[in-house]
Amino acid sequence: MNYPRFFEEALDQVHAERRYRVFADLERIAGSFPRAIWRSNGRAEEITVWCSNDYLGMGQNAKVVEAMQQAAGRMGSGAGGTRNISGTNHPLVELEHELADLHGKEAGLVFTSGFVSNEASISTIGRLLPNCLILSDELNHASMIEGVRRSGAEKKIFRHNDVAHLESLLAAAGRERAKLIVFESVYSMDGDIAPIKEIADLAEKYNAMTYIDEVHAVGMYGPRGGGITEREGLAHRIDVIEGTLAKAFGTLGGYITGSTTVVDAVRSYAPGFIFTTALPPAIAAATTVSIRHLKTSQAEREAQQRQVARTKDVLTAAGLPVMESNTHIVPILVGDPELCKMATDRLLGVHGIYIQPINYPTVPRGTERLRITPTPFHDALLIDRLKDALVETWDALGIPYGAAGRPAVASSDRIIPLLVPKSGG
């Protein structure tokens, strides 16, 4: 049996499909975000990062960094084991209280990542509900898809943000059957927002539970950073709100919030929680400081929203194919995997700008794109430099433009109907 051959063939397939990924060797510079050191072929040079999920730059916030350093100095670098074996470090208890308060829920539960929180929570809830039917948006994240799959429950996939299709599936299931609707608030590749109120209305009408993923919205929206559900006054109508600590809050981990009963059931039954080492106290302490800061400070959110709007305006005025987005996500359509990779290589090698290519299977074939995420620290000069670099790259590679008299490209509204439903839900 030639075992290596199977792995070589698997890698050959990824190469053949033009979706083999190469990671850039980057070193973030605290106090200089979004600048970073890029190392390649024995060289090191300073570049600008335009695709970080540290949306508000809280990963370099002085108070957050200081809280992490102080907690590590007092309690050490690790948690010492799972919470069942080694106990729960006190900063983690404080963090869960802070998260419950953020979303106006009775309880919170922290996991080692956002992927784990979705996979563990959805699968556990789906298993515990008798004869549960899970209704899942077709563009849900891979972690949600995995949670649906591992639940063993029957699933139905509704068309992206299509409340009429969702209602038809709910009506067919009937009011008496246990049902769980899983969806996201902000979809990270197109930057569009779910019709949360309409979904909550349907859940009440047809007696279904709701589970929302707010990972790309927590910290970013709402008067205290509670996400889209807080901004729209809908948090109390959602049964489980899931989020991440690794994006706007600038640290690491994932979580759910909800009623004491639901959260305690997940804590008691989810293998992804029970058998995983807890977050280190230093990370928990730093995250609590970050959340508390963003509950009262509007400066980061307001600055980021200004820079996002400016980025969209400048790039659109240059005729670049900026896809429509109502959020901080700024997607630029390329539409070809090879050109997408060539564009990002050129931006990095020639212009010192790092933007990771987004290709299949993250997005459907034919919608390959650059995904730009401006932060409060991407000032007007950096935005203008980005525009010039993109225009030079588009011209050098012959990528189609999208406005100002250049060949038109589909907006996100026209792309959505072409999306192929994900088999996992």
Side-chain angles (χ1 to χ4, degrees), residues 28-45:
R28 284 163 39 114
I29 307 171
S32 298
F33 183 77
R35 305 296 289 173
I37 303 297
W38 171 48
R39 289 182 170 81
S40 177
N41 299 320
R43 296 186 304 112
E45 63 180 89

Side-chain angles (χ1 to χ4, degrees), residues 162-196:
D162 189 334
V163 291
H165 187 209
L166 173 59
E167 180 165 21
S168 69
L169 297 173
L170 287 165
R175 279 186 54 83
E176 300 308 313
R177 184 176 183 183
K179 297 172 292 298
L180 177 67
I181 305 171
V182 296
F183 63 109
E184 301 181 39
S185 61
V186 174
Y187 288 84
S188 63
M189 291 300 122
D190 287 315
D192 55 339
I193 298 173
I196 302 172

Side-chain angles (χ1 to χ4, degrees), residues 193-198 222-223 227-236:
I193 298 173
I196 302 172
K197 179 183 180 301
E198 290 80 359
I228 301 295
T229 50
E230 184 196 25
R231 187 187 74 176
E232 299 182 2
L234 296 168
H236 66 288

Side-chain angles (χ1 to χ4, degrees), residues 231-311:
R231 187 187 74 176
E232 299 182 2
L234 296 168
H236 66 288
R237 300 185 63 192
I238 303 297
D239 293 297
V240 179
I241 297 177
E242 185 267 353
T244 185
L245 311 174
K247 293 182 171 61
F249 296 130
T251 59
L252 177 71
Y255 65 90
I256 60 167
T257 62
S259 70
T260 300
T261 303
V262 170
V263 171
D264 199 21
V266 173
R267 182 190 69 86
S268 301
Y269 280 90
F273 173 82
I274 295 170
F275 300 105
T276 300
T277 297
L279 278 187
I283 292 177
T287 308
T288 298
V289 168
S290 181
I291 295 170
R292 287 175 179 168
H293 175 82
L294 291 174
K295 281 181 176 179
T296 59
S297 173
Q298 302 300 322
E300 291 81 7
R301 284 189 283 274
E302 291 173 356
Q304 198 240 11
Q305 289 165 12
R306 284 197 303 271
Q307 299 315 97
V308 168
R310 179 181 176 86
T311 301

Side-chain angles (χ1 to χ4, degrees), residues 101-158:
D101 174 76
L102 177 66
H103 296 293
K105 300 297 184 184
E106 294 177 346
L109 188 67
V110 169
F111 298 79
T112 51
S113 75
F115 190 104
V116 174
S117 60
N118 269 334
E119 184 276 326
S121 301
I122 293 172
S123 63
T124 300
I125 294 169
R127 284 198 312 271
L128 293 178
L129 292 174
N131 191 31
C132 180
L133 173 66
I134 299 182
L135 302 110
S136 175
D137 188 289
E138 69 175 343
L139 293 191
N140 277 342
H141 189 263
S143 58
M144 305 177 79
I145 294 172
E146 185 64 12
V148 173
R149 187 186 70 81
R150 290 182 63 84
S151 73
E154 182 184 359
K155 67 176 182 294
K156 296 288 184 182
I157 302 168
F158 61 93

Side-chain angles (χ1 to χ4, degrees), residues 19 21 30 38 57 64 73 77 119 136 160 162 214 229 259 317 337 356 365 398 418:
R19 57 186 184 92
R21 304 185 183 197
W38 171 48
V64 174
S77 61
E119 184 276 326
S136 175
H160 179 53
D162 189 334
E214 284 255 45
T229 50
S259 70
Q356 184 70 359
R365 290 186 174 92
L418 302 178

